[in-house]
Amino acid sequence: MDDMDLLIDLHGNAMRQGPGSEADTMRAIDLSGLSEKQDLKIADIGCGSGASTLTLARTLDAQIVAVDLLPAFLTRLEEQASAQGLSQRITTLAASMDALELAPASLDAVWSEGAIYNMGFENGIKSWRPFLKPGGILAVSELTWLTPDRPAELTEHWSSEYAEVATASEKMAQLEAHGYVPIGYFPLPQSSWLDTYYHPMQERFGDFLARHGNSAQAQSIVDSERHEISLYERYAAFVSYGFYIARKRAD
Ligand code: SAH
C-alpha cells in the first residue's frame, strides 16, 4: 500500500477530511445570500466524502457538482447522498481542481472547504473565477494566521507545509486583486478542529494501526497527524481556517 492508500483508509470513512462543521457551512451560506435564490448551480471543489456538499444540498435549491481527485471519497458521498434522499441534487466528478472543464460563467457559487491549499489559494481563486456567473459567490476555507506574530515553532511548521499561509487581511487583498468583493469572513472556532476533525481522527488511530500490522509506514502517518494535533492544541490562539465569502466583481 502506498501512502495515498493509507491516507484514504485513515480518512475515507470520516465525517470530514478537514477542519469544519455543519454550523460553519450554514454560517457561510447565510453570509453568501444564496438562500434567497432558486435553481442554483454550485461546484463543491475538493469535497472529500461530502460533508459540506450534503449540507448545501439539504439547505439550498441547487444542483451541485461535487469534485474530488479521489473516487473513493466520491463513492462514500454517493452512498450518503442516497441514504439521505439527496442524490437528485448531487452529481460527482473525479477530477483535479487545477484542470476543471466546467463551462464559463455557469455557476452561481464555487464552494471549497479545506481543500484550495492543494493548488494554492491565489492560483485557485484565479482559475475558478471564470466558472462563476457575474455576481457569483466564492466560499472557501483556508489556513489563516489569527495574529501578526506567532511562536516560531508554529510558523515554521505551517510555512513549510503550506507556504501561502497568511492573515485574513492578506487573503482579502488577494481576493480584491483577483476580481472579487469580499462580503464575509469568519475564523472557524476551535470546536471545528477538535470535535469534528481531530478527536474523531484520534479515535481511529488504534484500529488503523492494527489493520496495517503496525507497519512503519502507517505509524509514520499517525505520528505526523499527532504532531499536527499537538501543535494545534498548544497554539490554537494563533491559527485557524478562515472562511472567506466573496462575490465575483464585474470584469
Ligand atoms: N471538503 C472536505 C475535504 C477536505 S480535505 C471536507 O471539508 O471534509 C481536502 C480534499 O481535497 C480531499 O478530499 C482530497 O482528496 C482533495 N484533493 C486533493 N488534491 C486535489 C486535487 N488536485 N483536485 C481535487 N481534489 C483534491
Side-chain angles (χ1 to χ4, degrees), residues 97-121:
M97 59 173 75
D98 55 4
L100 294 175
E101 296 184 3
L102 302 172
S106 62
L107 298 174
D108 297 284
V110 166
W111 210 268
S112 183
E113 297 197 18
I116 196 171
Y117 72 87
N118 286 295
M119 66 183 292
F121 183 80

Side-chain angles (χ1 to χ4, degrees), residues 15-20 44-52 67-70 73 95-98 112-119 141:
M15 227 165 45
R16 21 192 350 121
Q17 287 74 37
D44 186 357
I45 302 178
C47 63
S49 63
S52 58
V67 182
D68 204 275
L69 192 60
L70 298 179
F73 289 170
S96 187
M97 59 173 75
D98 55 4
S112 183
E113 297 197 18
I116 196 171
Y117 72 87
N118 286 295
M119 66 183 292
S141 67

Side-chain angles (χ1 to χ4, degrees), residues 31 121-122 125 138 140 142-145 164 166-187 242-247 249:
L31 290 166
F121 183 80
E122 190 165 22
I125 63 174
L138 174 78
V140 294
E142 158 81 344
L143 194 70
T144 297
W145 295 135
E164 283 188 56
T167 57
S169 53
E170 292 170 278
K171 298 284 168 192
M172 292 209 204
Q174 289 183 332
L175 287 165
E176 289 167 340
H178 293 297
Y180 296 92
V181 179
I183 59 171
Y185 164 76
F186 61 96
F243 218 133
Y244 299 85
I245 299 95
R247 192 174 58 231
R249 204 169 58 215

